């Protein structure tokens, strides 16, 4: 059974247009490639290293989001991207592949990706 996920395109919609043009859902954070990560604890360790000044609650929230993006959004699931550039609009897509890490993406905020044509 498919699930629906909300994936935002940046605090101010910075990734919105690129996601629409490229057919992707993306997340940022400088935590490196999660392809080989096998546990939520590994993601938390990376969050702790990347954001040492953040509160435990915020780190738990970021960890949960990254883990869900990496491990729980499956091909066929629906992605909902609320628009920051056009308030009141929601963009819908269906994931067509697994998590991928684009290390060569010029914008570091677009390296963690799910395809959604």
């Amino acid at each position: 059974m498919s699930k629906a996920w909300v994936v935002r395109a940046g605090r101010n919609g910075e990734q919105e247009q690129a996601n629409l043009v490229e057919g992707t859902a993306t997340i940022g954070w400088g935590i490196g490639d999660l392809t080989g990560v096998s546990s939520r604890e590994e993601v938390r360790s990376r969050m702790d290293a990347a954001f040492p000044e953040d509160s435990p609650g915020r780190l738990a929230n970021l960890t949960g989001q990254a883990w869900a993006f990496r491990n729980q959004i499956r091909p066929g699931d629906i992605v909902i991207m609320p628009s920051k550039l056009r308030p009141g609009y929601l963009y819908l897509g269906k994931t067509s592949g697994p998590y991928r890490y684009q290390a060569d993406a010029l914008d570091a905020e677009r390296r963690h990706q799910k395809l959604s044509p």
Side-chain angles (χ1 to χ4, degrees), residues 3-18:
K3 295 181 180 180
W5 302 88
V6 174
V7 179
R8 301 186 190 285
R11 183 178 303 248
N12 298 303
E14 302 89 336
Q15 304 306 321
E16 190 171 307
Q17 193 60 37

Side-chain angles (χ1 to χ4, degrees), residues 7 24-38 43 46-47 65-77 79 95-103 108-116:
V7 179
T24 56
T26 57
I27 61 172
W29 307 312
I31 56 173
D33 187 355
L34 299 177
T35 302
V37 170
S38 61
V43 175
R46 290 181 184 211
M47 287 294 180
Q65 290 177 37
W67 179 248
F69 190 86
R70 157 65 180 92
N71 221 48
Q72 295 175 339
I73 299 175
R74 307 259 187 230
D77 285 354
V79 173
T95 57
S96 62
Y99 165 86
R100 72 179 186 184
Y101 185 76
Q102 293 294 116
E109 297 299 309
R110 298 192 44 73
R111 292 190 176 150
H112 303 274
Q113 301 182 351
K114 293 279 185 168
L115 294 178
S116 183

Side-chain angles (χ1 to χ4, degrees), residues 57-70:
R58 178 164 159 71
L59 290 167
N61 186 17
L62 293 174
T63 298
Q65 290 177 37
W67 179 248
F69 190 86
R70 157 65 180 92

Side-chain angles (χ1 to χ4, degrees), residues 46 51 85 90:
R46 290 181 184 211
F51 304 104
L85 304 178
L90 299 172

